Amino acid sequence: MTLDTGPDLSDFSRIDFSNGAVAAVSGGSDSTALLLLLKAHLDRNAPATKLLAVTIDHQLRPQAAAEAQAVARLCAARGIAHRILAWSGHKPSTGLPAAAREARYRLLAEAADAEDIGLILTGHTADDQAETVLMRQARDDGPGEERPRDEGRGLAGMAPATLYEWRHWIVRPLLGVRRGALREFLRREQVAWIEDPTNADTAFERPRVRAALAERDSAPRVAEAIALARKVAAEREQLGRRAAMLIRSLASRPAAGLVRLDRDFATESDSGAAIYALRILLAATGGTAFLPDQARSGALFGRLRTGALCATLSRTVIDARRTGIFLHRELRDLPPAVEVSDNALWDGRRRITLGDSSSALLIAPLLVAPLGAALAAKRAIAGHGTPASLVRAALATEPALWRDGECLGLPGEGPGLPGESPMPAAVAAYPAVAPFARFLPSFDLAPADAVAALLGAAPVPASPFGGHSAGLPRAKA
């Protein structure tokens, strides 16, 4: 294996590098091989592409700073721009791997923003994919769940690309390559790598799975896990496309915060797609990051077939009437008043943003809090056969701007009602697609697109893969 015949070059050739790339490089074998193969590909095919290598120092080991400097020296020798970013501050005593992962993606996104780059590449391999599938398989088979069961959706493993914060694509071009092949490539190139001892610390779940694979010939188990991931991913994508078609054809938004499903939705013959669509809509309406439980959602769908009902699931009220099936956020457990800050995700449902001219408007504290039932009753205007009570209930949960105990109105609505104080025009609240707002796997592009269009959210940015979205009704950002 050489730089000219790397196993992942066909994957690189599918990626759109027109806006540059950030390569996450820890100094380990996988990320080091990623960087060298990527650099060679760009030198041959797109030499003007902006490439930035970023090393995250998690400040968890004394050696980490020196290891980051070793990556810096490698990048300098290869003519690659490089930055070291540190995860400073408090480190949790539990859930450390998850917290480190969150910090890593946040810092990588900040580095990409600073360079106006929308693409981040990581060195996850086939071994990482197999470990992920085996870990999730063990959780599905084990007793108890910390979150609603996803009926095997997680067995699709890591997606080839994941949209982070609805802004940056995280691409994993090495998912089809074994770690051993990458290390053999580095040996032939006479490039050393760093062995992170935490990767062998069996106090954490992934190293335990890795150690179990190493105890025996891992090739069959890895191949089996990869095959399972591909099968589940294909099924998940297909189900998502069918769910998206139902959302586009049977769902509408008669008022802010209110979703209406045609009565035909309850009698849809493709019950699997209908239940999946319902789960996504419930999470989006309620502002929850995880889809509601499959079994409870299935039972709810069955009750919708019988006629009128009023129920709650996933922080969402489901009000089925003769005129339609209506979904809106329940009034309980809404966020307390908080100071307005830029790019804040409010209640999982709205992205609060501040324009350049907003700083002068925030001399006195400006708060965001729910509008409330009393003010909603003054503002709600029903139409097109939508019951006024439902419009009021949905509007009451919408984010409003407050100052000194006085409601200024809804962000972006203009002057508000007569007698209200002027609305800060630079403050806006955009809909967010809650279950996909932080992480949108490429498996789920179709339903995410459909819900974004329904809610009036920003469209999903164009896929980083050429031809990946062919046939999907997608809009470009």
Side-chain angles (χ1 to χ4, degrees):
M1 186 188 309
T2 69
L3 284 172
D4 293 326
T5 60
D8 58 314
L9 294 186
S10 60
D11 285 335
F12 283 141
S13 68
R14 296 174 55 229
I15 300 173
D16 179 6
F17 290 107
S18 57
N19 291 321
V22 166
V25 186
S26 66
S29 60
D30 305 344
S31 61
T32 300
L34 167 73
L35 179 65
L36 299 186
L37 291 166
L38 174 60
K39 179 66 163 61
H41 172 78
L42 294 178
D43 284 348
R44 284 194 306 273
N45 300 284
T49 298
K50 182 187 295 185
L51 173 61
L52 173 67
V54 175
T55 302
I56 307 301
D57 178 0
H58 295 88
Q59 297 190 341
L60 297 173
R61 297 182 296 111
Q63 305 90 340
E67 292 168 357
Q69 289 299 327
V71 177
R73 290 192 294 272
L74 173 66
C75 290
R78 303 277 175 153
I80 301 170
H82 179 255
R83 288 187 62 189
I84 299 173
L85 299 177
W87 178 32
S88 56
H90 172 73
K91 307 297 191 293
S93 56
T94 59
L96 184 60
R101 182 170 57 253
E102 287 282 340
R104 185 161 57 250
Y105 285 135
R106 174 178 56 81
L107 292 169
L108 288 168
E110 290 175 3
D113 273 333
E115 298 293 333
D116 197 25
I117 294 173
L119 194 64
I120 299 168
L121 275 70
T122 67
H124 293 103
T125 67
D127 298 76
D128 295 312
Q129 182 75 299
E131 292 159 9
T132 298
V133 171
L134 292 173
M135 287 160 57
R136 293 178 180 176
Q137 197 171 40
R139 291 173 199 164
D140 284 349
D141 293 342
E145 290 293 333
E146 294 183 359
R147 63 184 63 166
R149 288 182 64 87
D150 246 352
E151 300 300 320
R153 289 177 73 248
L155 296 182
M158 292 180 283
T162 297
L163 187 65
Y164 175 71
E165 294 279 2
W166 212 258
R167 181 176 176 84
H168 297 284
W169 281 108
I170 300 169
V171 181
R172 306 175 179 95
L174 302 182
L175 283 181
V177 185
R178 292 297 305 271
R179 179 171 295 119
L182 295 174
R183 292 187 169 189
E184 180 59 28
F185 156 67
L186 291 177
R187 291 188 190 100
R188 295 190 182 193
E189 294 297 316
Q190 298 183 347
V191 175
W193 65 85
I194 296 162
E195 293 285 2
D196 185 346
T198 59
N199 288 333
D201 186 352
T202 54
F204 300 112
E205 182 182 20
R206 186 174 292 274
R208 287 198 299 272
V209 173
R210 187 170 297 167
L213 283 172
E215 289 177 357
R216 61 184 74 90
D217 180 14
S218 64
R221 293 196 68 195
V222 169
E224 182 180 341
I226 295 297
L228 175 61
R230 289 173 177 164
K231 174 178 178 293
V232 175
E235 293 171 349
R236 180 166 160 180
E237 288 192 38
Q238 178 58 33
L239 181 64
R241 284 192 288 270
R242 288 163 24 222
M245 291 177 60
L246 293 178
I247 292 169
R248 291 182 181 277
S249 61
L250 298 177
S252 59
R253 182 170 55 100
L258 185 64
V259 171
R260 178 187 177 276
L261 294 168
D262 291 354
R263 285 299 320 183
D264 290 345
F265 181 86
T267 57
E268 171 59 42
S269 59
D270 188 354
S271 59
I275 292 170
Y276 189 39
L278 180 62
R279 295 174 70 197
I280 294 171
L281 291 173
L282 289 171
T285 305
T288 60
F290 300 111
L291 303 188
D293 179 75
Q294 168 92 12
R296 293 183 66 189
S297 301
L300 173 63
F301 180 72
R303 292 175 62 195
L304 290 175
R305 293 173 179 265
T306 64
L309 71 86
C310 189
T312 59
L313 181 59
S314 199
R315 306 199 315 187
T316 297
V317 175
I318 304 96
D319 194 327
R321 305 186 179 198
R322 180 182 55 81
T323 54
I325 301 165
F326 296 91
L327 311 178
H328 63 84
R329 171 72 161 92
E330 65 175 332
L331 278 168
R332 294 186 303 168
D333 301 322
L334 287 166
V338 294
E339 286 197 31
V340 170
S341 60
D342 191 32
N343 203 37
L345 187 61
W346 185 86
D347 196 39
R349 299 180 293 133
R350 299 289 184 270
R351 182 73 66 179
I352 308 297
T353 63
L354 302 178
D356 294 337
S357 62
S358 61
S359 58
L361 301 170
L362 303 181
I363 298 173
L366 186 65
L367 305 179
V368 58
L371 180 64
L375 292 176
K378 298 179 182 179
R379 294 167 173 270
I381 300 175
H384 307 289
T386 304
S389 60
L390 291 176
V391 177
R392 289 195 298 269
L395 192 58
T397 67
E398 288 294 288
L401 298 179
W402 299 74
R403 179 179 281 148
D404 296 329
E406 178 185 4
C407 179
L408 307 184
L410 302 175
E413 74 168 357
L417 293 179
E420 290 183 344
S421 300
M423 169 68 61
V427 182
Y430 298 102
V433 185
F436 307 123
R438 292 293 311 286
F439 295 99
L440 168 58
S442 54
F443 308 137
D444 301 322
L445 285 179
D449 264 335
V451 177
L454 172 68
L455 300 182
V460 178
S463 166
F465 298 124
H468 182 81
S469 57
L472 293 179
R474 298 175 50 72
K476 291 190 176 181

